């Protein structure tokens, strides 16, 4: 079965990279642009993973993690956040907010195919 993923990524380069890689590995990715759409899509689709750009401009990434972890229906869905390595303090903030996995943008990019296959330790 294909990995079901929701991605909240405002950077068009990374959105394109995720879309292309997903097509190559057979993952189904839904891109969302707001917290409300992310939450409603997660409730409806029960994804295997939610990917959030921690520096994205469309949603508050820490708030979305807190909202998902506080929701009985959504709390078990793994959350993966990625960030620019120069903003390392975001890593700890994201973990405290409820992200399952947090990684620098470069590591996320390098491991993307494995992440989307659901085969990689995130």
């Amino acid at each position: 079965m294909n990995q079901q993923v929701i991605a909240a990524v405002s950077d068009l380069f990374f959105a394109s990279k995720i879309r292309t890689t997903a097509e190559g590995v057979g993952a189904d990715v839904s891109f969302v642009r707001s917290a409300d759409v992310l939450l409603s899509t997660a409730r409806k689709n029960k994804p295997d993973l939610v990917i959030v750009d921690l520096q994205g401009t469309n949603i508050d990434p820490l708030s979305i993690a807190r909202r998902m972890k506080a929701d009985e229906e959504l709390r078990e869905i793994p959350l993966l956040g990625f960030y620019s390595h120069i903003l390392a303090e975001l890593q700890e903030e994201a973990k405290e907010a409820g992200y399952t996995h947090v990684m620098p943008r470069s590591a996320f990019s390098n491991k993307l195919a494995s992440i989307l296959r659901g085969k990689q330790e995130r």
Side-chain angles (χ1 to χ4, degrees):
M1 186 165 79
N2 291 355
Q3 176 102 328
Q4 302 292 315
V5 179
I6 296 173
V9 180
S10 57
D11 181 312
L12 294 178
F13 170 76
F14 268 85
S16 176
K17 183 174 182 65
I18 292 168
R19 182 176 286 111
T20 301
T21 304
E23 288 171 2
V25 301
D28 294 322
V29 179
S30 301
F31 289 90
V32 297
R33 296 201 160 272
S34 75
D36 289 339
V37 172
L38 189 155
L39 294 171
S40 65
T41 302
R43 275 192 196 88
K44 179 180 173 190
N45 297 350
K46 301 293 189 257
D48 300 299
L49 177 66
V50 172
I51 297 172
V52 178
D53 180 350
L54 296 176
Q55 295 167 258
T57 57
N58 296 333
I59 66 167
D60 176 342
L62 302 180
S63 172
I64 201 68
R66 290 183 194 110
R67 289 173 68 184
M68 284 184 68
K69 294 307 174 184
D71 187 309
E72 189 71 35
E73 258 187 283
L74 304 177
R75 72 170 40 123
E76 298 303 318
I77 298 170
L79 274 167
L80 185 153
F82 66 91
Y83 63 95
S84 170
H85 71 278
I86 60 172
L87 297 173
E89 70 276 358
L90 260 180
Q91 181 178 16
E92 197 55 42
E93 291 175 18
K95 285 181 179 178
E96 289 174 10
Y99 279 82
T100 315
H101 308 284
V102 184
M103 61 180 53
R105 189 177 296 261
S106 58
F108 172 75
S109 187
N110 290 336
K111 296 177 180 180
L112 183 57
S114 294
I115 290 167
L116 293 176
R117 276 190 210 102
K119 307 279 186 205
Q120 171 71 31
E121 186 71 29
R122 291 180 277 281

